[in-house]
Amino acid sequence: MIKNYFKIAWRNIVKHKGFSLINAGGLALGMASCLLLLLYVSYHLNYDKQFNNIDNIYLVENNQPGDGKIYTFAATPRLAAATIKTEVPDAVRAVRTINYTAEGLLTYKNNSFKKSGLFADDGFFDIFSYHFIKGSAANALKSPNSIVITQKLARTLFGDEDPMNKVVKRNNQLPLKVTGVIDDVPVNATFQFEFVLPWVMFEDSNPWAKDSGWGSNFARTVVQLKDPSSLTRANSIMKNMVERHNDGNKNQLFLYPFSRLHLYSEFVEGKSVGGMIDQIKLFITLAICILLVACVNFMNLSTARSEERAKEVGIRKAIGSNRSSLVSQFIIESVILSMLSTAVAMGIVIVSLPYFNNLLGIQLALPYTSWVTWVAILGIGLLTGVLAGSYPAFYLSSFEPIKVLKGIFKGGTSALPVRKVLVVVQFGFAVFLITATICIYRQIKFVQEKSAGFDKNNLVEIPIEGDLQKNVEVLINQLKSSGAVTNASVFSQSITENGNNTWGVSWPGKRDDETVLFDVFRAGNDFIKTAGVKLLDGREFSSANQADTAGKTVLVNESAAKVMKLKNPVGTLIKWGDTELTIVGVYKDFVWGSPYEKTRPMLTQYGGNNGATIDLRLNQTKSVSANIETINKALKSLNPAYPPTIKFVDSDFEKKFQNEKLLATLSNLFGGLAIIISCLGLFGLAAYAAEQRVKEIGVRKVLGATVLNLTTLLSKDFLKLVGIAILLAIPFSIWLLNKWLQKFEYRIDLSWWMLALAGLLTVIIAIATVSYQAIKAALANPVKSLRSE
């Protein structure tokens, strides 16, 4: 019997090729979209899941009160790790890590490579279970001049040679011995590096770090507990740890599960409120909705064709078939179509995956060797078939054989309200997706067009490394003389990345209970001219001014002047800790951190030629390529051991919008696919409606109806449903998108024209979809349709 069901099902699919193609195409697109989205979701859900004891690993977070709220960040004092090991009985290990602040130069023989790394305490590889290809976790970082490298870096440095105990030079000076080789770090891991160096090496390179106390936060501290049940007791001990060791410091440390770090990284008032998980939930919902839209198409088209199957059902019932056997047959038909669609969907995923990865800048891959993956894919195909075929199966099997065989049955009538509801749901979803795409793009554009506060065009940055540390002034003078740059200055860090801040600023009239967080930025000569920041009052720094070089002066931004309520800020004496500083200039606010957040008060001190980057203002009268070529030649001459690194500030600044752009791209892509799938269903329904009314159209045409009259007649019912979908989708879109916009301090208002445009586009899409079938039917020769009459 089952074999016969499969035969009949296959014959029906082949007999109605056009219908089957539309159904299978819609399902295939829906499943391909769903699979791509689930791959993306899986990529993020599996962040850091490669570690064996991930449930026992915690990152120390730091709650810092001030400005009437609580700031949360992962930077901790260098003393925290040792103190946690001593004072928290359930702590098995505690280690410090810090990113290599600039790409490190590693040299073997005559080959040099810039690679990113970490400094970490011994015990780092005992907490994180990286697989050692050579060496062991226990001894990897014991020696102060050791280095652990990834397999990829080992091939880059040594080729086919055995890397163990080979000596490489760091920054062309310090010899390092390779003590371990580990597997390459997965792309979906929080710590990204190609080598790890002992913590002691960081302190030797940065003497300030060795002497820093509880008030200096710069290290990330990772703790391994005996088991998760120890967390509450550990956090109660750590809560006032900083205050116990540094009286008056109100910072509170707490352990945060490492497994939640990627998805729940957003904190408000010291508590986790979400993060990437919000985007993941959105895309899971989108994946389910797209699959449901595809299933809705199947239901609509199957029930619309009910009259053609009515006689089949009537005859089968008359000769003894029961309802369950009919339901089984129709569901098997649906499952066969669904499994064919699954095969096509897999082909679409395989072909589109490289483009998808390139679009998102990530590395998704189908785990072909995992049986779980194949079970999941087959499960989705089977579930989709059962889900899509369930309603048509139960509806078709409910026909009364007497009415059908007497010819008094009119198929499709009782299913009509359900079909209408499903069409409304489909196009309501389409309206929301179009509105969301418009809103997201407008929000990104709004923030991009908002002034950055500095001129990021024709501005480049060079990291200060190697011999360049002693040749900064020589390089700047040489480039100015060549005409490649017009201005240059040394900054304490990239102008596109925020970093240091302090609570220790006081000024005349400050209340005792007032705490304000100030960003701190150091700059050299010509800071204002180089960065293109607008000077509102006073002067900028100069090496010719003794007060500047002695560190007695400071520039402040306009937000700092407002916070300090200074009518005439220039000349005012303020204090940073115990150091007295004179304000010599006020500059306009510029975006240092997130462009979506309000600019904080900022202090800028004179740093001379000591800093992390040289910023260069390119000469606009010359071509960019000529300027860059001149800079490259100068760098190779003055710093030959290091490959030149030149970063364009405008490109780095654009990365600040990366997450929102990704959201917009995915919404646009999958929203478009959902609309295409909806249109396939509407196309099929319109074709069937035209087919059912072919005689009516013939009669009307003979009686004088025009093509426009007939097109309107066939289109109006569908357009009514689209109109209802728009009316229902608008309030939902307003509620959800306003909720999304609330997380931005600088945001647009959801305007009426966005909703109107989304509705108009949906109507145009619907008209374009239906009109083809309507016009085709209206242009048909009425003689053919009326011949039998």
Side-chain angles (χ1 to χ4, degrees), residues 429-692:
F429 183 54
V431 172
F432 166 71
L433 287 172
I434 294 171
T435 310
T437 301
I438 295 169
C439 178
I440 294 167
Y441 274 116
R442 287 295 301 169
Q443 172 64 16
I444 294 170
K445 190 177 180 184
F446 171 74
V447 179
Q448 282 178 321
E449 289 178 349
K450 181 178 160 287
S451 174
F454 67 95
D455 186 3
K456 54 186 181 292
N457 299 312
N458 292 299
L459 184 64
V460 297
E461 289 186 333
I462 299 167
I464 299 175
E465 51 194 1
D467 292 342
L468 205 56
Q469 292 175 348
K470 60 186 179 184
N471 288 322
V472 169
E473 196 166 348
V474 176
L475 176 70
I476 290 174
N477 290 335
Q478 186 174 322
L479 292 175
K480 281 184 176 179
S481 300
S482 69
V485 305
T486 55
N487 296 101
S489 186
V490 175
F491 294 165
S492 57
Q493 62 191 86
S494 170
I495 197 169
T496 62
E497 297 175 7
N498 62 345
N500 293 334
N501 45 56
T502 181
W503 299 96
V505 178
S506 57
W507 58 88
K510 181 184 178 185
R511 301 191 313 270
D512 291 339
D513 63 341
E514 195 172 3
T515 54
V516 179
L517 187 65
F518 280 74
D519 286 330
V520 179
F521 186 72
R522 289 181 172 81
N525 295 328
D526 295 333
F527 155 56
I528 299 293
K529 292 175 185 174
T530 303
V533 174
K534 186 177 180 181
L535 187 66
L536 300 176
D537 193 12
R539 64 173 178 85
E540 67 171 314
F541 296 127
S542 170
S543 57
N545 194 304
Q546 192 173 353
D548 292 348
T549 56
K552 297 295 184 182
T553 59
V554 67
L555 295 171
V556 299
N557 68 352
E558 57 182 323
S559 288
K562 286 176 185 175
V563 163
M564 293 187 280
K565 298 176 183 176
L566 301 174
K567 291 183 180 178
N568 299 299
V570 175
T572 302
L573 292 174
I574 64 172
K575 278 191 173 183
W576 180 8
D578 296 326
T579 305
E580 199 169 68
L581 302 167
T582 302
I583 298 176
V584 296
V586 180
Y587 56 85
K588 191 174 179 62
D589 289 346
F590 67 85
V591 176
W592 200 37
S594 169
Y596 297 102
E597 296 173 0
K598 290 180 180 176
T599 305
R600 282 202 293 256
M602 180 181 280
L603 301 181
T604 303
Q605 272 195 305
Y606 183 71
N609 290 329
N610 297 315
T613 69
I614 305 172
D615 280 49
L616 305 168
R617 173 67 57 188
L618 300 180
N619 189 341
Q620 295 186 50
T621 62
K622 294 187 175 183
S623 69
V624 173
S625 58
N627 290 333
I628 296 300
E629 187 179 351
T630 303
I631 295 169
N632 272 324
K633 285 180 181 177
L635 288 172
K636 288 174 183 176
S637 170
L638 297 171
N639 196 24
Y642 283 73
T645 301
I646 303 171
K647 294 182 179 180
F648 285 83
V649 170
D650 56 354
S651 298
D652 282 355
F653 190 82
E654 282 301 304
K655 292 175 184 176
K656 293 176 181 286
F657 305 97
Q658 190 171 352
N659 191 51
E660 281 67 35
K661 281 185 175 179
L662 175 63
L663 181 63
T665 300
L666 288 174
S667 298
N668 200 17
L669 176 64
F670 290 104
L673 286 171
I675 292 164
I676 289 169
I677 295 165
S678 298
C679 289
L680 277 175
L682 196 60
F683 184 85
L685 286 174
Y688 184 72
E691 185 184 328
Q692 292 296 97

Side-chain angles (χ1 to χ4, degrees), residues 15 41 123 142 144 338 418 465 480 522 587 644 686:
K15 183 181 177 183
V41 167
K142 293 286 186 190
S338 177
V418 177
E465 51 194 1
K480 281 184 176 179
R522 289 181 172 81
Y587 56 85

Side-chain angles (χ1 to χ4, degrees), residues 319-496:
I319 61 175
S321 286
N322 55 34
R323 189 175 183 184
S324 61
S325 64
L326 290 169
V327 169
S328 299
Q329 181 196 323
F330 291 130
I331 286 182
I332 286 172
E333 215 172 288
S334 172
V335 167
I336 290 173
L337 203 58
S338 177
M339 296 312 289
L340 289 172
S341 299
T342 304
V344 175
M346 283 298 297
I348 294 171
V349 170
I350 292 167
V351 169
S352 61
L353 205 52
Y355 165 77
F356 193 65
N357 283 337
N358 185 55
L359 187 70
L360 303 185
I362 55 178
Q363 296 177 27
L364 302 181
L366 272 170
Y368 296 104
T369 56
S370 170
W371 64 268
V372 176
T373 302
W374 292 108
V375 169
I377 290 169
L378 291 173
I380 289 173
L382 187 63
L383 181 65
T384 303
V386 172
L387 182 66
S390 56
Y391 175 71
F394 283 102
Y395 171 68
L396 291 170
S397 63
S398 67
F399 294 167
E400 295 180 33
I402 294 174
K403 290 184 178 179
V404 170
L405 297 175
K406 280 185 176 181
I408 59 173
F409 170 80
K410 184 64 180 173
T413 307
S414 60
L416 214 53
V418 177
R419 289 212 302 277
K420 287 180 177 178
V421 169
L422 295 176
V423 169
V424 167
V425 169
Q426 276 186 318
F427 279 88
F429 183 54
V431 172
F432 166 71
L433 287 172
I434 294 171
T435 310
T437 301
I438 295 169
C439 178
I440 294 167
Y441 274 116
R442 287 295 301 169
Q443 172 64 16
I444 294 170
K445 190 177 180 184
F446 171 74
V447 179
Q448 282 178 321
E449 289 178 349
K450 181 178 160 287
S451 174
F454 67 95
D455 186 3
K456 54 186 181 292
N457 299 312
N458 292 299
L459 184 64
V460 297
E461 289 186 333
I462 299 167
I464 299 175
E465 51 194 1
D467 292 342
L468 205 56
Q469 292 175 348
K470 60 186 179 184
N471 288 322
V472 169
E473 196 166 348
V474 176
L475 176 70
I476 290 174
N477 290 335
Q478 186 174 322
L479 292 175
K480 281 184 176 179
S481 300
S482 69
V485 305
T486 55
N487 296 101
S489 186
V490 175
F491 294 165
S492 57
Q493 62 191 86
S494 170
I495 197 169
T496 62

Side-chain angles (χ1 to χ4, degrees), residues 71-241:
Y71 294 87
T72 304
F73 48 87
T76 60
R78 71 175 180 90
L79 301 167
T83 308
I84 289 169
K85 280 195 284 188
T86 303
E87 296 184 3
V88 179
D90 298 308
V92 179
R93 295 179 183 88
V95 299
R96 299 161 296 185
T97 71
I98 192 168
N99 286 334
Y100 210 117
T101 51
E103 290 182 324
L105 186 76
L106 298 179
T107 304
Y108 179 67
K109 295 181 179 178
N110 295 320
N111 297 317
S112 296
F113 304 93
K114 279 187 177 181
K115 300 295 177 182
S116 58
L118 283 179
F119 292 103
D121 278 318
D122 181 31
F124 176 80
F125 290 110
D126 294 313
I127 293 178
F128 295 103
S129 53
Y130 294 99
H131 175 246
F132 273 78
I133 299 168
K134 293 182 179 292
S136 66
N139 302 313
L141 296 175
K142 293 286 186 190
S143 170
N145 68 329
S146 57
I147 180 172
V148 177
I149 60 177
T150 61
Q151 188 176 24
K152 181 181 176 182
L153 182 56
R155 285 195 296 268
T156 301
L157 288 171
F158 310 113
D160 295 329
E161 297 179 38
D162 184 358
M164 288 300 289
N165 298 315
K166 287 281 193 307
V167 175
V168 297
K169 282 186 178 180
R170 172 188 162 222
N171 295 338
N172 213 32
Q173 295 175 340
L174 187 67
L176 305 170
K177 183 189 287 186
V178 177
T179 55
V181 180
I182 62 172
D183 280 337
D184 294 335
V185 177
V187 288
N188 57 342
T190 298
F191 290 136
Q192 289 293 317
F193 59 85
E194 289 191 72
F195 63 88
V196 181
L197 302 174
W199 178 268
V200 65
M201 203 177 292
F202 171 73
E203 292 191 342
D204 289 342
S205 304
N206 301 276
W208 59 267
K210 194 180 295 186
D211 301 324
S212 63
W214 285 93
S216 179
N217 299 295
F218 61 89
R220 281 191 291 184
T221 303
V222 182
V223 176
Q224 180 185 345
L225 295 181
K226 290 177 182 176
D227 56 70
S229 63
S230 310
L231 179 61
T232 303
R233 183 164 71 153
N235 276 337
S236 65
I237 296 169
M238 290 174 57
K239 185 175 181 180
N240 299 313
M241 182 178 285

